[in-house]
Amino acid sequence: MRSAFDIAVIGSGFAGSLVAAIARQLGHSVVLLEKGKHPRFAIGESSTPLANLLLEQLSDRYGLSRIRPFAKWGTWQETYPSISCGLKRGFTFYHHEGGSVFKDDAAHRKQLLVAASPNDRVADTHWYRPDLDAFLVEEARRLGVVYLDEAELWGVDADQKRPIIQGRHRNQPLEIHASFLIDASGPRGFLHHALELPEVPFKNISSTQGLYTHFTGVKGWSEVAPSTEVPPYPVDDAAVHHVFAGGWIWVLRFNNGVTSAGIAATPEARNSLGLDFASKQHAWDRLLEKMPSIKDQFSAAQPTHPFVHAKQLSFLSGYVTGQNWALLPSAAGFVDPLLSTGMPLTLLGIERLAKIMESKWGREGFADELFNYSMQTTIELVTVERLVAALYASMGDFDLFSALTLLYFAAASFAEAARRLGRDIAGETFLLGEHPVFGPRFRYCVDVALKKPTGAAREDLLQRITQTIEPVNIAGLGLKDRNRWYPALASDLLKGAAKLQSSREDVEMMLKRCGFK
Ligand SMILES: Cc1cc2nc3c(=O)[nH]c(=O)nc-3n(C[C@H](O)[C@H](O)[C@H](O)COP(=O)(O)OP(=O)(O)OC[C@H]3O[C@@H](n4cnc5c(N)ncnc54)[C@H](O)[C@@H]3O)c2cc1C
């Protein structure tokens, strides 16, 4: 097969199919090339309020009305009940100490619950990627994208004005000519290899590895460690994080009986727990032996897919764009699943690339915009890396870890609300990087945390974090009387109206519009 297209997208995960569908809606001829076949196992499941808002806005802007319902639990369930997903009302964290059964006190000093939504209807979701990705690729096809799966790509000539991809499709030679290539094939993906792009090691995060799969028969945490109080949301309808020094375990429940779970850990944590992730099931079993409460949670669990060992989770490409190609953020870099930053970063990147295609395709300024996209992508990945590295450095000190997460939650909730209100307060950089007060203070706090402060320096950092989040704190974060259980309250948002450069009426209307009340 020898064909010419405006745009070739490589990789049909959610991001590849979405960007291909958008390019098609903009009137381009598009081919989507996939090495595998749907449905297939995929990871990257836990969405966030910002990710879902971006999905909603992209759907509206580019006429993707059949994709829009995936932006909320309620519309997903009404529209596509047969496409599996999980209910995510917030981020749940528990702190575990070597070999002990999990125990907490009335002040919840060993846990942190941050609600992301006020009710199930507008809640976030865990995307069951085998189902969702299969739907999205079919949707892209329905819109006119040419989809070639089981495509084995072995080379690209990007020096031409129109790059040429070569490979085989179902044993037939394949030659694709395209004006522009978008790589959505994930970290260390197609263009990384084909163009021999350099990898630039991140400076702060140590070489964390991952071990993960899907299970059936995982108990709810509320069964393992029942609470006598009523939490802000059911603790298992969330991204559950079991945190310990140098690592953490995620547990994400879907509504089809499947639970996604895995561990990410530093070399020091792996050594101290005596875990060799290469031994996969054996390492997982050994991990459970060291964590009695988590062992209880997984006592009847059965993997439904072979364990995946990610030898090096973090990755940063030295280049993000060329004259006729771009890596999506998910192909340009990855830090860690912690805080679910992968999807919002990827969707921000899709939004930016889509705007470039919309306004600059074939026009002057295309290269400049592409350069800005490349800079923005790298800056955001590095910002996330610094925050996540600081969080890893504090995983043994849960008070500090919890305080540092508030930098993320404050920035994310503020950015989401500002976007919903249509207020351009701090640009669109992830984690409010351009906010004149929060941005520099955030960087300062992360710098200090990376040095693992103790004593007075640690106390000072805790205070600075409180001061840093203050101008963007519209969610009651850090309030002592909440005892680390933070519900999503309209009253907090209304109190924060001035910070959002809005009136209480504006916020009231926004809350009504987005189903908060
Ligand atoms: C362990 C782990 C957990 C994560 N958890 C979260 C989370 O909870 N929340 C979150 O926001 N993010 C998470 N992420 C990040 C998330 O996975 C990514 O941001 C997201 O999957 C990006 O989607 P994608 O469509 O770009 O890539 P992918 O889902 O990786 O899809 C890439 C596609 O490209 C195809 N492909 C690969 N190479 C080629 C090739 N040479 N030719 C053709 N096709 C190719 C693959 O078969 C695949 O279909 C996690 C990442 C990891 C590693």
Side-chain angles (χ1 to χ4, degrees):
M1 180 182 174
R2 187 166 185 274
S3 301
F5 296 87
D6 293 335
I7 294 173
V9 178
I10 302 113
S12 68
F14 85 87
S17 295
L18 186 61
V19 81
I22 291 172
R24 186 71 203 114
Q25 291 294 83
L26 287 170
H28 296 295
S29 57
V30 185
V31 64
L32 177 59
L33 302 162
E34 166 61 48
K35 72 172 178 189
K37 202 172 164 49
H38 289 281
R40 52 96 175 92
F41 175 84
I43 198 85
E45 298 149 327
S46 191
S47 72
T48 64
L50 182 59
N52 283 316
L53 178 56
L54 285 161
L55 187 65
E56 194 175 293
Q57 294 183 334
L58 286 168
S59 301
D60 289 344
R61 189 172 180 103
Y62 299 106
L64 303 171
S65 57
R66 284 162 52 86
I67 293 180
R68 196 180 198 277
F70 294 114
K72 289 188 183 85
W73 166 265
T75 45
W76 185 322
Q77 293 311 297
E78 273 159 34
T79 320
Y80 301 114
S82 62
I83 300 182
S84 308
C85 77
L87 174 58
K88 180 180 178 186
R89 288 286 308 279
F91 288 78
T92 299
F93 298 84
Y94 298 108
H95 194 237
H96 297 260
E97 271 146 338
S100 315
V101 170
F102 177 80
K103 256 204 210 94
D104 206 359
D105 57 17
H108 310 143
R109 271 178 296 189
K110 297 289 169 206
Q111 60 185 293
L112 169 69
L113 265 55
V114 185
S117 53
N119 58 51
D120 290 0
R121 218 165 6 94
V122 298
D124 299 323
T125 47
H126 303 308
W127 299 356
Y128 186 67
R129 297 282 303 274
D131 284 6
L132 180 67
D133 289 9
F135 177 94
L136 292 177
V137 82
E138 279 314 308
E139 190 55 16
R141 286 176 82 171
R142 203 185 63 81
L143 295 170
V145 169
V146 174
Y147 175 59
L148 302 178
D149 61 0
E150 298 183 294
E152 190 193 340
L153 310 180
W154 60 65
V156 63
D157 181 355
D159 292 333
Q160 311 287 330
K161 191 159 179 275
R162 286 167 65 80
I164 304 168
I165 296 179
Q166 282 175 327
R168 287 185 90 73
H169 178 236
R170 302 205 171 139
N171 291 325
Q172 297 298 315
L174 178 70
E175 188 174 297
I176 301 285
H177 296 237
S179 299
F180 196 70
L181 308 181
I182 299 179
D183 189 342
S185 62
R188 303 177 186 89
F190 172 66
L191 283 184
H192 177 75
H193 288 291
L195 296 177
E196 297 181 5
L197 301 179
E199 181 169 345
V200 185
F202 281 118
K203 285 215 174 95
N204 304 287
I205 195 146
S206 57
S207 110
T208 43
Q209 293 191 0
L211 181 67
Y212 52 88
T213 187
H214 283 174
F215 296 85
T216 51
V218 179
K219 275 192 208 169
W221 186 254
S222 54
E223 209 184 315
V224 174
S227 169
T228 50
E229 299 167 80
V230 181
Y233 55 84
V235 294
D236 291 295
D237 291 339
V240 176
H241 302 62
H242 295 297
V243 180
F244 52 90
W248 68 288
I249 294 164
W250 64 90
V251 184
L252 315 173
R253 271 202 315 192
F254 299 106
N255 61 355
N256 57 0
V258 173
T259 297
S260 174
I263 172 173
T266 61
E268 297 75 29
R270 296 195 303 273
N271 284 341
S272 87
L273 292 166
L275 302 177
D276 172 8
F277 284 6
S279 69
K280 299 187 176 181
Q281 173 87 54
H282 177 72
W284 182 258
D285 292 342
R286 198 175 157 82
L287 167 71
L288 296 184
E289 287 307 322
K290 308 271 174 175
M291 309 261 169
S293 298
I294 304 172
K295 183 178 180 189
D296 183 6
Q297 184 170 26
F298 284 83
S299 54
Q302 289 297 328
T304 61
H305 185 271
F307 276 89
V308 179
H309 172 207
K311 292 190 189 84
Q312 169 77 42
L313 279 170
S314 64
F315 164 75
L316 181 64
S317 174
Y319 290 89
V320 177
T321 58
Q323 57 162 348
N324 45 27
W325 57 267
L327 308 183
L328 283 189
S330 48
F334 180 65
V335 182
D336 196 85
L338 192 64
L339 300 177
S340 310
T341 56
M343 288 184 197
L345 284 179
T346 302
L347 287 159
L348 275 169
I350 292 177
E351 182 183 62
R352 290 174 191 141
L353 270 186
K355 282 190 182 153
I356 298 172
M357 286 191 269
E358 203 180 329
S359 62
K360 297 288 178 194
W361 184 263
R363 298 207 186 118
E364 211 180 306
F366 186 80
D368 292 344
E369 290 296 324
L370 218 50
F371 178 73
N372 291 340
Y373 165 84
S374 157
M375 294 293 287
Q376 190 80 314
T377 302
T378 304
I379 288 169
E380 288 178 343
L381 283 163
V382 169
T383 304
V384 169
E385 183 263 340
R386 292 173 59 72
L387 175 62
V388 169
L391 286 164
Y392 266 94
S394 66
M395 279 174 178
D397 174 352
F398 196 61
D399 287 341
L400 182 55
F401 176 89
S402 304
L404 283 165
T405 64
L406 300 188
L407 293 170
Y408 166 81
F409 290 117
S413 50
F414 187 86
E416 183 210 350
R419 221 176 223 269
R420 286 195 187 278
L421 286 159
R423 298 286 185 280
D424 182 12
I425 302 173
E428 281 172 1
T429 305
F430 193 55
L431 297 179
L432 303 179
E434 293 164 61
H435 191 286
V437 182
F438 179 83
R441 288 188 186 171
F442 170 93
R443 289 187 279 279
Y444 174 85
C445 290
V446 169
D447 269 347
V448 176
L450 284 168
K451 293 180 190 129
K452 297 194 174 188
T454 54
R458 176 184 171 282
E459 290 307 310
D460 183 60
L461 174 60
L462 288 168
Q463 271 185 25
R464 299 252 187 177
I465 292 172
T466 308
Q467 290 161 5
T468 298
I469 64 172
E470 205 286 324
V472 298
N473 186 359
I474 52 163
L477 299 168
L479 290 178
K480 293 273 176 279
D481 62 353
R482 304 237 166 135
N483 287 333
R484 293 204 187 139
W485 280 11
Y486 301 108
L489 298 178
S491 53
D492 286 329
L493 275 154
L494 287 164
K495 258 188 242 154
K499 295 178 186 176
L500 290 159
Q501 296 174 9
S502 301
S503 64
R504 283 179 72 90
E505 291 69 35
D506 290 338
V507 175
E508 284 276 9
M509 271 160 51
M510 180 266 284
L511 292 172
K512 231 180 233 162
R513 248 192 341 265
C514 63
F516 199 99
K517 286 187 158 180

